[in-house]
Amino acid sequence: MDEREFDDFYTASFSRVVGQLHAMIGNRDEAQECVQEAFVRAWAHRRKLDRAEHPEAWVRTTAYRLAVSRWRRTVRARRPEDRALGAKVQAAPPSPDHVALVEALKRLPEAQRQALVLHHIADMPVHAVAREVGVPEGTIKARLSRGRAALAALLSDDGGLQEGASHA
Amino acid sequence: MPDLNDDLFSSFKSEGTPVNPLPASEVRRRGDRMRRRNNALASVGGVAAALVVIATPLAVVANQSSDGDADRPPIASNGPTQVAWKQEIPGTVDVGSGLAGAATTPAVETSDRPGVATVEVCATTLFDAEDGTVDTAGATWAGEEGTGNAGNARTLVLYPDAVAATAVVEGLRAGAEQCRTETSGTDTLTYDLTDADLPADEAFVLARGYVAEGEQSAQGVDYYVVARTGNAVLVTVDPYAAAADEQVTFEQERVAEVVDQMQVFSETASRAVGTDDTTELDDLIPAEFPLLEGFPEQSAASGRAVGREGPARDLDLAPYNPPLVEACGTEPTGAPTPTDTMYAGWRDPSIGMLRQLMTFDSEEDAQTYAEAVVQVFEDCPEEQDGGVTRFHERSEESGYGDFAASVVTRFEVDGEPGPGHAVVQAVRVGASVLLFTAQTETAEPVDPAVGSVELTYSYLATNGPVIDAM
């Protein structure tokens, strides 16, 4: 992958992967930071990226593992807010439904949330999700089934998330 | 109850996520720096090995996902035996060897991606191929058509050293021994661990059985073979295979050849830094370190101009107006003592710039030192000296080393911006710190609105080549 190919890949994928990771971890700023670092690693290991069947999956997986890393939590805790991230992007506030969905996803077990995001947001078939996560397909099917049921309960009128949902 | 179809998730696609990405060129620059750092750590022999193994565990951000402890940067341990553990899987190790057993089709596929990404037991990830590893190789085999064989997968990973690798394998073993059963939907999963008879430092077979509701025995078993030699760990899975005692033996036979090839990672095979090494262990910063990189080649002024000075461990610091770090009459206190220090400077009648490169016993010590430097200014953001007011403006920057903080001191004379400025920058990379100071009394006054930011990044750009080399 030469510089131009990488730049095109980076430009085309960055926002999408941040959105997917945001859904997985529930924190937009952290998602962006992890995806940013994942792309740095992607360029550092571009030989591996060249051989990857799905480079975007490689970046997403790396970013996800960064996000759940205890190391990052430790480093972040010691460090004041990084003022060099640049000005906050001004954007329209998300819809209440979107906010409720993000909150509900955050309350799911990590494994179920990851499966739901990869299948329903990243549009990956079950076998591809299984390959990315590294577990059998049957395990992914079970996680999707349980995750959908839990999400449905959380988003129902009795689930309490649709009214007064906090900003994600 | 909402309809759980893809429309529910469409907001993630239509509303998008506001992002503020770095320029692609900056991403590539940081990636190149990471690659150089990884390559420096992989080199063996001489001063490079001394830096890596002997004194200061440099932080290496390799191909990690960060670790459950998922993405913990690999840190080389400082054991009494100085072994140069391999940091790359050589081509002589065929990770796919034996994966298909006696079958000839379909072909085994190998790549730099792990065939087994994680191993989970009782909802706990006990193995993660991208957690703390420095190199990865994987193989997959799709299984013979029509046989019901779901195919096999394998991962070979290297850790910075055998201590790290052993911790992972022992953690996997302990986790499996503590969790004998778990529920998954309507199935009960059972876990059974058997020591393996393989030519490795340690090896075992982990069998995960799927027992359907109402049944007494497993309908299928995932067989994991885990083997460690030196700093290398192999994980193979044969998913949902037949539940039979003979299968444990068969799985070991399938990995025997690649486990044998893993002897290249053994402590014996890994080269030791011998006692006949002539490296001066006390000089941790190599003499050829480019500490002057980025400074002007010559002084622009004539006459008493000096220009470049050093690098040297005993540079005369008097011309650089010490104390270099001081505010409100206070210098940093309680900072750890460096294990090695080297200086390089550039000065002329108008400005003096000094770089102080230091190594420490640990990353924690280095971080403590860097933070102690800037703390002095945090505690004293403003001070008066006659009619001159000094404003110390502190900031932190990402993308420069593991930690970077700057303090720009601007002056006001009787309430108006005065000439000159001073800058202190502390950048940590692993267990090393670059302390940079600059002082000028003749430069244009610093614009209170944007001047500090401009100066910060201007000096970081000047120091960038040194930071990249750390």
Side-chain angles (χ1 to χ4, degrees), chain B residues 138-154:
Chain B
T140 55
W141 180 63
E144 286 181 293
E145 213 170 307
T147 63
N149 189 326
N152 305 330
R154 186 176 289 168

Side-chain angles (χ1 to χ4, degrees), chain A residues 120-154:
Chain A
H120 289 287
I121 298 178
D123 294 331
M124 294 171 64
V126 170
H127 70 83
V129 175
R131 183 179 59 223
E132 180 159 325
V133 175
V135 299
E137 284 187 35
T139 304
I140 294 300
K141 290 177 182 175
R143 290 177 182 177
L144 286 172
S145 175
R146 291 196 291 268
R148 289 192 196 104
L151 199 60
L154 288 168

Side-chain angles (χ1 to χ4, degrees), chain B residues 102-134:
Chain B
T104 55
T105 59
V108 173
E109 297 181 4
T110 59
S111 74
D112 292 340
R113 290 288 294 158
V116 179
T118 60
V119 177
E120 295 184 358
V121 175
C122 289
T124 301
T125 300
L126 298 179
F127 169 78
D128 185 329
E130 296 185 17
D131 171 6
T133 57
V134 297

Side-chain angles (χ1 to χ4, degrees), chain A residues 3 6-7 10-11 14-15 18-19 22-23 28 32 36-37 39-41 43-48 51-52 57-58 61-62 65-66 68-73 78-89 91 93-95 97-98 101-102 105 111 116 119-123 131-136 139 142-143 146-149 151-153 155-157 162, chain B residues 1-2 4-6 8-13 15-32 34-35 38 61-73 75 88 109 111-120 128 130-131 134-136 183-185 208 210 222 224 239 363-364 367 371 394-399 402-403 428 457:
Chain A
E3 288 185 3
F6 176 81
D7 291 357
Y10 173 67
T11 303
F14 187 86
S15 179
V18 171
H22 175 203
R28 187 188 67 200
Q32 174 169 308
Q36 193 74 81
E37 192 163 338
F39 272 104
V40 169
R41 296 181 184 198
W43 179 249
H45 300 278
R46 51 191 176 277
R47 180 170 59 91
K48 293 187 179 184
R51 297 177 187 178
W58 192 98
T61 303
T62 300
R65 299 195 192 292
L66 284 167
V68 300
S69 138
R70 185 183 303 172
W71 165 261
R72 284 192 60 83
R73 287 197 291 273
R78 287 194 340 222
R79 194 173 74 186
E81 183 183 347
D82 192 339
R83 281 175 267 172
L85 273 178
K88 296 293 184 185
V89 176
S95 65
D97 284 348
H98 184 81
L101 178 57
V102 171
L105 284 169
L116 285 172
H119 183 60
H120 289 287
I121 298 178
D123 294 331
R131 183 179 59 223
E132 180 159 325
V133 175
V135 299
T139 304
R143 290 177 182 177
R146 291 196 291 268
R148 289 192 196 104
L151 199 60
L155 291 174
S156 68
D157 292 340
Q162 288 196 320
Chain B
M1 180 174 295
L4 285 186
N5 53 31
D6 284 343
L8 176 68
F9 299 95
S10 62
S11 63
F12 274 99
K13 303 171 188 176
E15 296 190 22
T17 299
V19 294
N20 184 25
L22 292 172
S25 58
E26 177 63 16
V27 174
R28 285 187 275 104
R29 187 191 75 82
R30 297 184 189 188
D32 288 337
M34 181 184 295
R35 194 176 183 84
N38 293 348
V61 184
N63 181 26
Q64 311 154 13
S65 48
S66 275
D67 58 300
D69 296 353
D71 214 355
R72 178 178 57 233
I75 297 175
E88 282 193 13
E109 297 181 4
S111 74
D112 292 340
R113 290 288 294 158
V116 179
T118 60
V119 177
E120 295 184 358
D128 185 329
E130 296 185 17
D131 171 6
V134 297
D135 200 10
T136 306
T183 301
S184 176
R208 175 197 292 132
Y210 295 83
D222 298 334
Y224 290 90
E363 291 182 27
E364 286 73 21
Q367 183 68 23
E371 291 179 355
R394 179 199 183 282
S395 63
E396 275 190 37
E397 294 73 46
S398 68
D402 300 312
F403 170 84
R428 178 181 75 81
Y457 283 96

Side-chain angles (χ1 to χ4, degrees), chain B residues 7-277:
Chain B
D7 288 343
L8 176 68
F9 299 95
S10 62
S11 63
F12 274 99
K13 303 171 188 176
S14 62
E15 296 190 22
T17 299
V19 294
N20 184 25
L22 292 172
S25 58
E26 177 63 16
V27 174
R28 285 187 275 104
R29 187 191 75 82
R30 297 184 189 188
D32 288 337
R33 183 180 66 200
M34 181 184 295
R35 194 176 183 84
R36 284 196 296 273
R37 187 184 305 159
N38 293 348
N39 289 340
L41 191 64
S43 66
V44 295
V47 174
L51 272 175
V52 170
V53 175
I54 294 174
T56 57
L58 297 173
V60 172
V61 184
N63 181 26
Q64 311 154 13
S65 48
S66 275
D67 58 300
D69 296 353
D71 214 355
R72 178 178 57 233
I75 297 175
S77 62
N78 297 328
T81 303
Q82 296 162 357
V83 179
W85 300 106
K86 285 183 173 55
Q87 305 294 298
E88 282 193 13
I89 299 171
T92 53
V93 178
D94 178 9
V95 67
S97 176
L99 191 63
T104 55
T105 59
V108 173
E109 297 181 4
T110 59
S111 74
D112 292 340
R113 290 288 294 158
V116 179
T118 60
V119 177
E120 295 184 358
V121 175
C122 289
T124 301
T125 300
L126 298 179
F127 169 78
D128 185 329
E130 296 185 17
D131 171 6
T133 57
V134 297
D135 200 10
T136 306
T140 55
W141 180 63
E144 286 181 293
E145 213 170 307
T147 63
N149 189 326
N152 305 330
R154 186 176 289 168
T155 293
L156 177 64
V157 291
L158 298 185
Y159 293 88
D161 54 34
V163 171
T166 300
V168 170
V169 172
E170 289 306 309
L172 179 52
R173 179 196 291 270
E177 286 175 341
Q178 289 167 12
C179 173
R180 289 299 181 177
T181 64
E182 69 170 308
T183 301
S184 176
T186 57
D187 287 348
T188 297
L189 307 186
T190 62
Y191 293 94
D192 188 55
L193 197 143
T194 309
D195 284 331
D197 183 18
L198 290 167
D201 290 346
E202 57 182 320
F204 55 84
V205 179
L206 172 64
R208 175 197 292 132
Y210 295 83
V211 181
E213 190 175 16
E215 298 293 332
Q216 299 299 316
S217 59
Q219 284 67 56
V221 177
D222 298 334
Y223 288 98
Y224 290 90
V225 180
V226 179
R228 180 191 69 79
T229 297
N231 65 322
V233 174
L234 180 80
V235 178
T236 294
V237 67
D238 184 357
Y240 216 74
D245 291 340
E246 299 78 21
Q247 194 72 20
V248 173
T249 302
F250 175 67
E251 298 296 343
Q252 295 179 63
E253 290 172 353
R254 209 144 48 171
V255 305
E257 189 171 335
V258 67
V259 171
D260 193 49
Q261 294 171 8
M262 285 169 62
Q263 288 303 312
V264 297
F265 304 113
S266 68
E267 184 171 341
T268 305
S270 299
R271 191 175 73 156
V273 176
T275 54
D276 60 351
D277 195 305

